């Protein structure tokens, strides 16, 4: 990953699922519902003073795109849900938003 470079789509693995899991509760609070299914499917990441992840997540019968920021390790801050887009489909491409 190059800093500031356009991100490329990748399949989500355990690290990305762990990041998505950390922002599941804040998203549930914002949407006022609980998600029984919350599986990271694919993602793009971009490095700029930390890492921003744009992740497609399957939630129940729908998909959501989440934007999560992970600060630099020395800042010692938790990952943060910075934005999200609901009512996405399986075929909707994850984009930087």
């Amino acid at each position: 990953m190059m800093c500031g470079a356009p991100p490329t789509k990748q399949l989500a693995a355990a690290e990305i699922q762990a990041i998505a899991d950390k922002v599941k509760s804040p998203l549930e609070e914002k949407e006022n519902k609980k998600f029984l299914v919350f599986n990271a499917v694919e993602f793009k990441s971009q490095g700029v003073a930390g890492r921003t992840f744009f992740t497609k997540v399957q939630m129940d019968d729908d998909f959501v795109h989440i934007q999560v920021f992970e600060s630099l390790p020395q800042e010692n801050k938790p990952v943060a849900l910075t934005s999200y887009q609901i009512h996405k489909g399986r075929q909707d491409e994850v984009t930087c938003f």
Side-chain angles (χ1 to χ4, degrees):
M1 173 181 57
M2 293 175 34
C3 286
T8 57
K9 179 177 71 172
Q10 302 173 52
L11 294 177
E15 175 193 9
I16 303 305
Q17 182 64 52
I19 290 169
D21 289 342
K22 290 177 183 177
V23 299
K24 179 182 176 187
S25 290
L27 181 60
E28 288 175 330
E29 288 175 23
K30 289 178 184 282
E31 287 297 304
N32 196 28
K33 64 168 93 169
K34 295 286 186 189
F35 305 120
L36 299 175
V37 175
F38 200 77
N39 297 324
V41 177
E42 60 189 35
F43 76 101
K44 294 180 179 183
S45 67
Q46 190 170 29
V48 180
R51 289 194 300 174
T52 301
F53 295 92
F54 303 92
T55 307
K56 180 188 293 186
V57 177
Q58 181 179 2
M59 49 178 218
D60 303 332
D61 295 331
D62 206 359
F63 288 82
V64 62
H65 293 182
I66 58 173
Q67 179 181 340
V68 178
F69 181 72
E70 180 182 59
S71 64
L72 296 170
Q74 62 268 27
E75 293 179 356
N76 199 28
K77 294 181 180 177
V79 296
L81 177 66
T82 53
S83 187
Y84 65 98
Q85 299 174 337
I86 59 173
H87 306 301
K88 294 292 189 173
R90 177 175 293 280
Q91 300 306 320
D92 290 335
E93 182 179 348
V94 176
T95 59
C96 301
F97 55 92

